[in-house]
Amino acid sequence: MIGTPQEIDQVCSAALRLAHTGSWSHARDLLGVLDVCDRVRLVRAQVMLDEAFWTGSDLVRPVEALPRDDFRWESELLTAQARYYSALRQRLSGTDPAGVLQLVADLEHLVETAPDAAARSTAAFFLGVAHENLDGDVIAARSAYDRANAGDDLTTSYVLRHLAGHAADAGDSGTAHTLAVQALRLRQRAGHLPGALAQFLQIDDREPVRAMVTAWAHEIGATTLAKMANAGRTD
């Protein structure tokens, strides 16, 4: 087993990079070579939640895998993400999700108590999508996206994707395209395969692109992405 702090950091980083390619099972296998500690539990839960979102699988198991002692803020954020994904699934299925106000309040608290600017940006993004997709408050969503201004490439790409959607809704196709392409480039730089494929759909959802994305989605088991492609969805 591997267990020095440096080894744990290197393997956890490699596992997250594997997860970004849609190789979630390989990421979990890689984490299995490490001695179990709260850092490993957190990263395993992050991998499992990413897999659950893209494959449409169980959202409870990632939360159950979280550490209970260290990484308290990170664990609370991941739990809030799982709650958001669950509520979004209900909304897309035509059911009004319960607990939206509490989720928004919890995400606001996470923004206020974030340990650093990057973490605050991640929490602010999820606050924004909770407003946009769950309670329909687009103004509050835009305000939250403005606060997500110090994130990593992936978080920034998520914000740009949603701002592109707002621009398209406002009839500003030029700005929408520019923002969507910027989001794609950030996801490509981060090596996030399902995210990059989703961006292709936002940029061009004509049949050849949807067919290409569907084929890739089936290869990596990304059921959520395949549904987006088959429906021509871009949100």
Side-chain angles (χ1 to χ4, degrees):
M1 299 291 283
I2 298 174
T4 69
Q6 183 178 12
E7 290 170 337
I8 289 172
D9 284 344
Q10 290 174 341
V11 174
C12 284
S13 295
L16 289 172
R17 289 195 297 272
L18 274 172
H20 288 170
T21 69
S23 300
W24 300 286
S25 63
H26 292 113
R28 293 195 306 274
D29 289 345
L30 181 58
L31 291 170
V33 308
L34 295 173
D35 291 330
V36 178
C37 64
D38 278 353
R39 171 73 194 284
V40 175
R41 291 187 182 96
L42 176 65
V43 173
R44 181 179 291 116
Q46 290 172 329
V47 169
M48 292 169 66
L49 184 61
D50 190 63
E51 179 179 18
F53 174 76
W54 289 108
T55 65
S57 57
D58 183 14
L59 289 165
V60 175
R61 289 181 62 245
V63 175
E64 292 177 342
L66 282 168
R68 300 304 175 191
D69 297 318
D70 294 335
F71 302 102
R72 182 72 57 84
W73 187 92
E74 292 84 356
S75 294
E76 290 179 359
L77 176 64
L78 194 142
T79 300
Q81 289 176 238
R83 290 162 58 198
Y84 166 72
Y85 292 150
S86 177
L88 182 62
R89 286 181 184 179
Q90 293 176 60
R91 176 74 76 204
L92 293 175
S93 69
T95 302
D96 288 334
V100 171
L101 291 178
Q102 186 60 57
L103 174 60
V104 167
D106 291 344
L107 284 165
E108 184 67 55
H109 175 72
L110 286 166
V111 172
E112 297 298 331
T113 59
D116 54 52
R120 183 165 54 252
S121 292
T122 303
F125 166 73
F126 278 97
L127 175 63
V129 289
H131 278 306
E132 181 172 349
N133 294 328
L134 299 181
D135 69 17
D137 191 339
V138 178
I139 294 175
R142 182 59 184 262
S143 176
Y145 297 148
D146 288 343
R147 298 161 73 183
N149 58 4
D152 60 14
D153 282 351
L154 276 180
T155 300
T156 302
S157 80
Y158 298 147
V159 173
L160 291 174
R161 174 182 175 83
H162 283 263
L163 293 179
H166 291 184
D169 290 342
D172 188 349
S173 59
T175 297
H177 180 79
T178 297
L179 293 173
V181 170
Q182 289 175 353
L184 171 62
R185 289 172 177 165
L186 288 173
R187 293 179 182 202
Q188 290 172 321
R189 187 163 73 185
H192 200 289
L193 177 60
L197 291 169
Q199 274 312 107
F200 280 115
L201 289 175
Q202 187 180 43
I203 294 167
D204 182 355
D205 69 348
R206 289 175 295 180
E207 178 56 32
V209 175
R210 289 193 283 120
M212 179 270 292
V213 172
T214 299
W216 269 105
H218 287 315
E219 284 295 323
I220 62 175
T223 304
T224 300
L225 181 60
K227 289 180 179 178
M228 291 170 62
N230 289 335
R233 287 183 53 85
T234 58
D235 60 344

